[in-house]
Each structure stands twice: as structure tokens, then as C-alpha cells.
Amino acid sequence: MRHFGHIAPEVRQRLFHQEPCEFTPGSPARVLSAALGATLYSPATRPRLADDIVKQVGRGVVSMVLCLEDSIGDEDVEHGEENLVRQFADLDGRNPADLPLLFIRVRTPEQIPDLVRRLGPSVRLLSGFVFPKFTEERGIPFLEALAGAEAASGHRLFGMPVLETPELMYRESRVDALEGIARAVDKYRDRVLALRLGVTDFCSSYGLRRAPDMTAYDVQIVASVIADVVNMLGRADGTGFTVTGPVWEYFRVQERMFKPQLRRSPFLEGQAEELREALIEHAMDGLLREITLDQANGLLGKTCIHPSHVLPVHALSVVSHEEFSDAVDILRPERGGGGVLRSQYTNKMNEVKPHRAWAERTMLRAEVFGVANEDIGFVELLAAGITG
């Protein structure tokens, strides 16, 4: 699979200076963690789940979470487990060439070895599990169960903890909670693919819900948690993990208080004014702003609950030609001693040593999401992804 793999090769050639790389569930963890992109959540109880998964591949989805936790009722868990086993067997019988990276969000550690056993040979389609409400005390049993299931099945499995508990929200307990989480995930570093943020649960601790024309960063108490998570768990010194962006809850707005946040000019230049109107109608202008702020704050990828959110995440994850040029210049071997140089675009200073970590992260993003051609922007990438 690859990002933008659902569009025609000749269109990709027009869009990309460097096309996104191909990857498989067996690719190195550093590649997979960066390549997660927009991770689409789906209730595990959906009766035609196998068909849904195959359909989403054709829409550019490369990672999905099949949820047995908050998206279904307590009384539906057993049915959800049975449905997952059936749907995985169905998918396995089709012997598909391309599937997204598939994860199961469980409620308890005991579900992990049980599901792996019940999946049987179709476990080969599973990339791992998502652990809800992760703390050091709650999380260690999940990680131990994952390690045991991997050993028993002989199949590589990753874990993705979700950070969403009140201990992280409350100022007096946040540092202790983050230090505990850091100990837990560091002990199982090879099995932790990414850390996910549960901002909806953060808001619930204070009875809050952000409006469609506000981002998570406008809710200051939530923004402070995101900052501290990245501070302690997302460092670029080799100790950090990929931290993914929070879910965007909206997909249509009936009424708005503030002006749309999308400038007209990029859409006029791309002859895509109708696309702009559709994005505004479906609350996407707020989503686009939040994705941009996610990236500015050190997050990569995003939890999604609606297929229409996937392409905006991926289009904004593509490395621009300007970013790529800067990163290449900074990482040239002859620049190892440091120094300052003017960018090829002659509009900024590139300081080699301070910007090195940014350049390395940018090159990894370029590997998995590609590099746009010099005259290609977000509008063209999104429009091409929608039309296929």
C-alpha cells in the first residue's frame, strides 16, 4: 500500500516530485508509525465490516481501528468480538492484495490473547491493538498481554496506547501520570507504534465540547495537556514516540457563528471554488486548521471518525517542495559542522544544527507521504484524491 495509491499513476506523476513510498504491515516500525496518517475508526459490530474495509482502501485509507470500546454499548461487546472473527475470516478468504493496517481497540487485556486465538490464521491481517485509558498501572497488563499474544501466534503485533484519563487533565497529577506512562512504553518500546490522544475524554472531565469553528488548541485546558504530552513523550532526541492528533467530531454544520477560515485565493488559483464551498459546508475549514496546528505542535496523523476527514489529513501531510529543499540542504554531509545558509527559495534562514531534527522528521514524512511538485499545493492534492 501507499498514500495516494488509489489515484492513477499518471496523476501521481503530475502531483509529486517524489512519490509516497510503498509499505506493508511488515515494514519497519519507524515507517509505519509515520505512515498511519488518518486512522479511521469503525465500530466492530458493523455487519458488512469486511466490505467496508475494502471500500475504504479505494478512498485512500491506510489505517483503521475496529472498536470494541466506547463506540459500542456494553451489551454489544460479545457480538462485536464474534463479528470481528467472522469478518477477518471473510477478508482472509478473499486474499486481498491491499488492506489498511488493521487494529482492534479492546476494553481489557484479557481480550487480546483471546481474540488472537479465535482469529486463527486470519490474524496475519491484524497489525495490533489499541489500549484505551492508558496509564502505567492500567497499561502494563495490556502490553504484557500483547507480548504474550505475539509470542503465541508468531505474528508481529503493535500496540497504540490512548492517553485520555483524568489524571492527565488534572494539573496536580499530570507529571506523575506522564512519567508513569513514559516508564511503561519505554519498557515495551519495540511494540509501541504510536501514542494517541483522547481529547473527547479530556473535555468530558470538565463538561466541555469544542465547537466546529474551534480547534482543540482553542480549548486552553486541552492545549496544555497536548503540550505536556509532546514535551515528555514526543521528543526528537531518540526517546520520543509518534504522537497522533485528536479526533475531529464534525462532518456537517447547520449554523456557524464565525467566518469560514479558508482563504479563497488558493482555491481560485486551482479552479476549485466548489471544493472550498463543500469543505466549509462540512465543517472542514475547522478540521484543516486543526491539522495544521497538530503538525505545528509536533503531532503526526489523526484519529478520524468519518471517511471525509481522511483526504484532508493526507493532503496536508505531503511535504511541500520548499520544505523538502530546506531539509535536503540542512542534511547535506558537508553541513555536518553546522552553520547558517539561505534557503533555495531565498525567503528564510536555515540554521543547520538547530534545524537538523526538523529536517530528519521532514524527510521521514517525505518518504511516506511524498513531496509535492513545485507548483502543487494542498488544493490540487485534495482535489485529485477526491476524484481518484
Side-chain angles (χ1 to χ4, degrees):
M1 73 189 89
R2 66 164 70 184
H3 285 289
F4 297 93
H6 67 298
I7 65 177
E10 61 271 18
V11 178
R12 288 203 306 270
Q13 188 173 18
R14 176 177 62 82
L15 294 173
F16 289 99
H17 170 77
Q18 173 184 302
E19 289 195 26
C21 71
E22 293 186 350
F23 57 93
T24 72
S27 295
R30 62 176 285 279
V31 172
L32 295 182
S33 66
L36 287 167
T39 300
L40 184 64
Y41 272 55
S42 175
T45 51
R46 290 181 68 89
R48 300 182 65 85
L49 187 58
D51 292 334
D52 293 341
I53 291 169
V54 172
K55 183 167 76 172
Q56 296 309 327
V57 173
R59 295 177 172 177
V61 174
V62 303
S63 65
M64 291 185 69
V65 172
L66 314 175
C67 185
L68 289 166
E69 208 233 353
D70 284 348
S71 68
I72 66 174
D74 297 345
E75 69 281 3
D76 293 325
V77 174
E78 184 176 347
H79 166 60
E81 293 176 344
E82 293 169 353
N83 189 56
L84 280 179
V85 173
R86 286 195 302 271
Q87 301 293 337
F88 267 76
D90 181 352
L91 281 175
D92 198 26
R94 303 183 193 193
N95 196 26
D98 280 323
L99 282 179
L101 303 171
L102 296 176
F103 301 86
I104 298 174
R105 178 167 169 162
V106 290
R107 295 185 173 211
T108 67
E110 293 75 23
Q111 287 177 295
I112 294 173
D114 181 57
L115 283 168
V116 167
R117 177 186 57 80
R118 291 163 66 183
L119 287 172
S122 66
V123 75
R124 72 183 184 89
L125 306 180
L126 182 66
S127 290
F129 292 89
V130 175
F131 311 140
K133 299 171 178 61
F134 193 92
T135 63
E136 181 178 25
E137 183 179 358
R138 281 178 50 87
I140 289 293
F142 280 106
L143 290 163
E144 290 174 343
L146 181 76
E150 180 179 271
S153 65
H155 176 68
R156 184 176 71 163
L157 295 168
F158 289 110
M160 292 199 290
V162 184
L163 312 186
E164 55 186 344
T165 59
E167 294 96 322
L168 288 173
M169 282 295 289
Y170 301 152
R171 190 169 194 169
E172 68 272 17
S173 56
R174 185 180 303 168
V175 172
D176 285 345
L178 284 170
E179 287 177 343
I181 290 168
R183 286 191 294 268
V185 294
D186 187 61
K187 183 178 179 181
Y188 290 87
R189 175 170 292 274
D190 292 343
R191 291 190 172 88
V192 175
L193 191 61
L195 305 177
R196 313 199 71 87
L197 291 168
V199 163
T200 302
D201 280 60
F202 288 158
C203 288
S204 89
S205 297
Y206 289 86
L208 304 175
R209 185 174 192 178
R210 70 190 188 275
D213 43 15
M214 293 187 179
T215 72
Y217 303 91
D218 295 312
V219 184
Q220 291 298 302
I221 198 165
V222 170
S224 71
V225 183
I226 296 174
D228 286 344
V229 168
V230 174
N231 189 328
M232 296 183 68
L233 297 169
R235 299 177 185 180
D237 60 0
T239 67
F241 294 83
T242 294
V243 182
T244 65
V247 69
W248 182 257
E249 298 178 350
Y250 297 95
F251 40 89
R252 182 175 286 274
V253 176
Q254 302 303 322
E255 182 179 1
R256 63 169 64 238
M257 182 180 299
F258 300 109
K259 288 182 178 180
Q261 301 175 64
L262 282 179
R263 292 173 57 242
R264 288 182 179 273
S265 53
F267 293 86
L268 292 174
E269 292 167 9
Q271 298 182 328
E273 180 67 12
E274 289 184 6
L275 174 59
R276 178 180 180 274
E277 296 300 324
L279 291 171
I280 292 171
E281 179 185 353
H282 291 84
M284 295 293 187
D285 53 323
L287 169 63
L288 297 175
R289 184 164 178 265
E290 184 165 287
I291 296 166
T292 303
L293 289 170
D294 286 341
Q295 294 175 358
N297 285 276
L299 310 184
L300 181 60
K302 199 165 187 66
T303 295
C304 295
I305 47 84
H306 196 273
S308 64
H309 299 169
V310 170
L311 284 172
V313 174
H314 293 169
L316 282 174
S317 298
V318 173
V319 173
S320 71
H321 188 271
E322 181 174 346
E323 290 176 306
F324 181 70
S325 297
D326 289 341
V328 168
D329 278 351
I330 290 164
L331 295 175
R332 290 188 190 280
E334 63 269 26
R335 306 287 186 194
V340 177
L341 57 147
R342 186 175 63 172
S343 72
Q344 288 189 24
Y345 277 69
T346 68
N347 59 359
K348 73 178 74 66
M349 172 192 75
N350 288 327
E351 194 168 353
V352 173
K353 288 185 177 179
H355 288 145
R356 174 169 288 274
W358 169 85
E360 290 171 346
R361 285 190 169 185
T362 298
M363 294 302 281
L364 177 57
R365 184 158 58 93
E367 183 179 349
V368 296
F369 288 103
V371 178
N373 270 322
E374 193 168 356
D375 58 343
I376 297 296
F378 157 77
V379 173
E380 291 84 0
L381 290 163
L382 181 57
I386 290 173
T387 59

